[in-house]
Amino acid sequence: MDGRIQLRIPFPNCSTEFLHRHLEGNAGRKEKWKRAHLQLCVLLLLFFTFGLASAKKWDGVVVTQADFQALKALKHEFVDFRGVLNSWNDSGAGACTGWAGIKCVNGQVIAIQLPWKGLGGRISEKIGQLQALRRLSLHDNVLLGPVPTSLGFLPHLRGVYLFNNRLAGSIPPSIGNCLLLQTLDLSNNQLTGIIPPSLANSTRLHRLNLSFNGISGSIPMSLSRAPSLVFLALQHNNISGSIPASLSNLTMLEELNLSHNQIAGRIPDELGSLARLNSLDLSNNAISGSFPESLSKLSSLVTVNLKNNNLESQIPESIEKLGNLSVLDLSNNKFKGQIPDSIGNITSITSLHLSENNLTGEIPISLVNLQNLSSFDVSYNNLSGIVPSVLARKFNSSSFVGNIQLCGYSSSTPCPSPEPETRPSPSQGAPKHSRRRKLSTKDIILIAAGALLVVLLILCCVLICCLIRKKAASKAKNRKSGGGLVTDRSAKPAAAVGREDESGAEIGGKLVHFDGPFVFTADDLLSATAEIMGKSTYGTAYKATLEDNNQVAVKRLREKITKAQKEFEIEVAQLGKIRHPNILA
């Protein structure tokens, strides 16, 4: 009550009240005792304060018993190929500070982050004991088994990242109990079954990616009750049915990808209310009907991919309202009519694919205004007329082929020249146009084919003349060359080296063998590798290795030294019959 601070510590007679009262009543005590007593109390106070600080620091380092048991179960189910879980010891000490991929708050695990660690095995159902878990990131591993049903028991779960694994089974409906869930990415696994309608209960869900699985069934209409959804990717599955018109309630949606499924029916006009949509991919389905004009209201659209469907009717002129469009792919459908001239007003477009449709008419000259256009394809339609020269120079012929009446896009498809005017004769008072018949497409094709045939005939004649001259020159050289060859089969292999032409002229003459069963041709010898064994006035001796690895001794005799051919062959045959221990067979 006197304004002094009352400090209470767990030690007798060391409070500030006791010290004040003691000093007043014992003023005659020795000063030394007072200082010692005061120092003792200060030491006790520091020890107590340090103990409180240490206890506060330790809180959260030792994980709770329930979370420790759950982590042990997870480690037991995982197959740790790389040893990344070696830090997960059996005592639990340091689980929140030293365990790989674990993050805690107040001793409770709030995040498990182990992507790209090569983990195999399964995810234990005891993960549901981690009641404070907010983020589960195990993507890009080789995990098997189902997605744990117990994930639905985690009230604080916000992000599930299990993509690029080998998970199988169906998506557990219990995940819809995670009301705070924001991201669910199970893409590129082996999941089957249907999309649980209960996912719509996660009203904060803004990213749902179930692509590249084997999911079947239809798109649940309940997804329209997820108003925060920004990204919806269901491509490369077996989803059937039609596109729910109720998806128009997803007013925050920016990307919608339903490609490579079995979706049929029409594109709902209601999708035109998705004002924030910037990417729409419905390609590779069985969608029919027409291109909805309501989509022209989506000024934020950057990519529209509707290829490989059964869309028909005309491409609306109102498509020019898509002022931010960069990619438009309507190929392999049944669109008819002309290419809208208004497409030339979409200056941001970089890729325009309209191939394999039933489009007619000419290519609009307005497309020349598309300065950013880097990919263009109108092949295999019924287009006619002249290709604008700017487009013909910028893109190769593959962008225009399959249009029989289209010309001017390559040297092989020239356009007919305009009819020339005739000068008036002196007897005529006014100029008259000649009545020359205009060449039809059939005439142009026949003329081109005839010209090509003439060119081929000329090339054939030139080739035949070259062959005849080459053959004559070869015979002349053979008549000039001479000499003979004596061969002997060697018994041991030797290294291969290049051939040498003794006289500098081309090798010719006749090949004469020693007596024996081993026979080879001059062509075999010329294709062999050889090394020089020695030289003499009669010629050069070689050791040759044939293509079948047999080795022979060959002597190439100089011209004008050998005897007559018949006499020479007799002597060679006699030499071949000689047998001696120091002479090869």
Side-chain angles (χ1 to χ4, degrees):
M1 299 298 292
D2 56 357
R4 289 174 294 182
I5 298 175
Q6 301 294 320
L7 176 62
R8 302 289 184 183
I9 58 178
F11 192 85
N13 297 329
C14 279
S15 66
T16 54
E17 182 181 1
F18 169 78
L19 292 174
H20 180 76
R21 196 168 55 245
H22 177 76
L23 292 175
E24 284 183 350
N26 299 280
R29 293 285 183 105
K30 293 180 179 180
E31 188 68 24
K32 183 178 179 181
W33 183 90
K34 289 188 291 184
R35 286 197 302 268
H37 187 78
L38 185 61
Q39 288 174 355
L40 177 62
C41 292
V42 171
L43 288 173
L44 290 171
L45 179 62
L46 291 173
F47 179 79
F48 181 71
T49 305
F50 179 78
L52 288 175
S54 299
K56 184 176 181 181
K57 182 179 180 181
W58 190 251
D59 183 23
V61 176
V62 177
V63 72
T64 63
Q65 185 64 23
D67 285 13
F68 175 60
Q69 295 297 330
L71 292 177
K72 282 183 62 179
L74 283 171
K75 182 180 180 182
H76 179 72
E77 292 286 341
F78 286 150
V79 177
D80 187 10
F81 294 108
R82 302 179 186 173
V84 296
L85 302 181
N86 290 340
S87 58
W88 290 30
N89 55 53
D90 295 331
S91 64
C96 294
T97 56
W99 284 23
I102 301 299
K103 185 177 180 181
C104 301
V105 170
N106 295 327
Q108 288 186 298
V109 178
I110 64 168
I112 300 177
Q113 300 183 105
L114 294 168
W116 295 296
K117 303 300 183 184
L119 292 175
R122 305 160 72 92
I123 305 174
S124 173
E125 285 287 349
K126 288 194 176 181
I127 197 171
Q129 294 179 203
L130 304 174
Q131 287 295 294
L133 190 65
R134 302 176 189 174
R135 181 184 179 90
L136 177 63
S137 179
L138 298 173
H139 63 84
D140 291 279
N141 284 290
V142 286
L143 295 172
L144 305 171
V147 178
T149 304
S150 59
L151 289 180
F153 304 154
L154 304 176
H156 302 287
L157 193 61
R158 298 174 186 175
V160 177
Y161 305 88
L162 300 177
F163 56 91
N164 294 342
N165 278 287
R166 299 175 184 176
L167 300 174
S170 58
I171 303 171
S174 60
I175 294 182
N177 298 330
C178 303
L179 302 182
L180 301 181
L181 189 64
Q182 297 176 3
T183 300
L184 177 62
D185 195 335
L186 304 177
S187 60
N188 199 16
N189 279 285
Q190 299 170 11
L191 300 174
T192 55
I194 64 171
I195 302 172
S198 60
L199 292 181
N201 297 335
S202 303
T203 55
R204 298 189 182 184
L205 189 65
H206 71 268
R207 185 179 178 87
L208 178 60
N209 191 348
L210 306 178
S211 59
F212 293 91
N213 280 288
I215 297 172
S216 56
S218 59
I219 302 172
M221 298 183 65
S222 61
L223 282 182
S224 60
R225 300 200 308 268
S228 300
L229 203 59
V230 174
F231 179 91
L232 178 58
L234 305 176
Q235 70 268 27
H236 288 272
N237 279 289
N238 297 318
I239 297 173
S240 56
S242 59
I243 303 172
S246 58
L247 291 182
S248 59
N249 297 331
L250 304 177
T251 55
M252 305 293 291
L253 195 63
E254 295 180 2
E255 185 167 342
L256 177 61
N257 195 333
L258 307 177
S259 64
H260 293 86
N261 279 289
Q262 301 172 16
I263 298 173
R266 295 174 171 267
I267 302 175
D269 289 330
E270 289 81 357
L271 294 186
S273 62
L274 300 176
R276 297 194 177 190
L277 194 66
N278 59 56
S279 179
L280 176 64
D281 193 344
L282 306 178
S283 61
N284 295 279
N285 280 288
I287 299 172
S288 57
S290 60
F291 186 101
E293 290 209 24
S294 61
L295 294 184
S296 302
K297 301 176 184 177
L298 304 179
S299 58
S300 298
L301 271 177
V302 176
T303 300
V304 175
N305 190 351
L306 304 178
K307 69 177 181 181
N308 296 335
N309 278 289
N310 297 318
L311 295 169
E312 51 190 7
S313 190
Q314 296 184 345
I315 304 172
E317 288 281 347
S318 59
I319 199 171
E320 67 174 327
K321 296 179 181 178
L322 302 178
N324 293 313
L325 194 64
S326 177
V327 176
L328 177 62
D329 195 340
L330 305 179
S331 58
N332 198 12
N333 278 282
K334 299 177 181 177
F335 287 111
K336 56 187 178 182
Q338 296 186 340
I339 300 174
D341 189 70
S342 59
I343 291 181
N345 299 328
I346 311 175
T347 55
S348 60
I349 201 163
T350 61
S351 178
L352 178 61
H353 285 212
L354 305 174
S355 62
E356 298 183 76
N357 281 285
N358 298 318
L359 298 172
T360 56
E362 298 184 350
I363 298 176
I365 192 65
S366 64
L367 299 186
V368 175
N369 300 327
L370 303 179
Q371 300 295 327
N372 299 319
L373 192 63
S374 59
S375 180
F376 180 67
D377 193 353
V378 292
S379 60
Y380 298 100
N381 280 284
N382 297 317
L383 299 173
S384 58
I386 304 173
V387 175
S389 58
V390 173
L391 298 178
R393 289 194 301 268
K394 193 172 184 179
F395 304 102
N396 58 40
S397 59
S398 62
S399 297
F400 308 98
V401 297
N403 296 281
I404 299 178
Q405 301 181 33
L406 202 62
C407 65
Y409 57 86
S410 69
S411 57
S412 60
T413 58
C415 294
S417 302
E419 294 183 4
E421 293 183 351
T422 57
R423 293 185 179 183
S425 62
S427 60
Q428 293 173 333
K432 294 183 180 180
H433 294 287
S434 64
R435 297 184 179 180
R436 184 179 297 175
R437 184 176 65 88
K438 185 178 180 180
L439 293 175
S440 64
T441 304
K442 184 178 180 180
D443 295 335
I444 295 172
I445 294 173
L446 291 174
I447 293 172
L452 182 62
L453 182 61
V454 171
V455 171
L456 290 175
L457 289 174
I458 293 173
L459 289 176
C460 289
C461 292
V462 171
L463 183 60
I464 291 172
C465 292
C466 291
L467 290 175
I468 292 173
R469 291 183 62 185
K470 186 175 181 181
K471 188 174 181 181
S474 178
K475 288 182 178 179
K477 289 179 181 179
N478 287 336
R479 283 194 298 268
K480 291 180 181 180
S481 62
L485 293 172
V486 181
T487 68
D488 187 17
R489 186 173 180 177
S490 128
K492 297 181 181 179
V497 294
R499 290 182 291 125
E500 176 185 307
D501 189 350
E502 184 68 22
S503 62
E506 292 185 10
I507 295 176
K510 183 179 179 181
L511 187 67
V512 181
H513 293 77
F514 278 157
D515 182 50
F518 181 74
V519 179
F520 53 90
T521 65
D523 290 336
D524 295 333
L525 185 62
L526 292 177
S527 61
T529 56
E531 62 179 332
I532 298 175
M533 297 173 61
K535 294 184 179 181
S536 69
T537 56
Y538 292 99
T540 303
Y542 300 86
K543 179 164 66 176
T545 303
L546 303 179
E547 289 185 341
D548 58 359
N549 291 327
N550 286 312
Q551 293 180 327
V552 296
V554 180
K555 187 161 187 176
R556 184 176 187 273
L557 302 182
R558 294 181 182 275
E559 295 180 8
K560 300 180 181 179
I561 291 179
T562 62
K563 299 180 179 182
Q565 183 72 27
K566 186 173 182 181
E567 185 180 356
F568 176 77
E569 290 179 2
I570 294 172
E571 289 187 5
V572 168
Q574 291 175 351
L575 286 173
K577 295 177 181 179
I578 295 175
R579 297 292 182 268
H580 190 274
N582 297 330
I583 299 179
L584 295 177

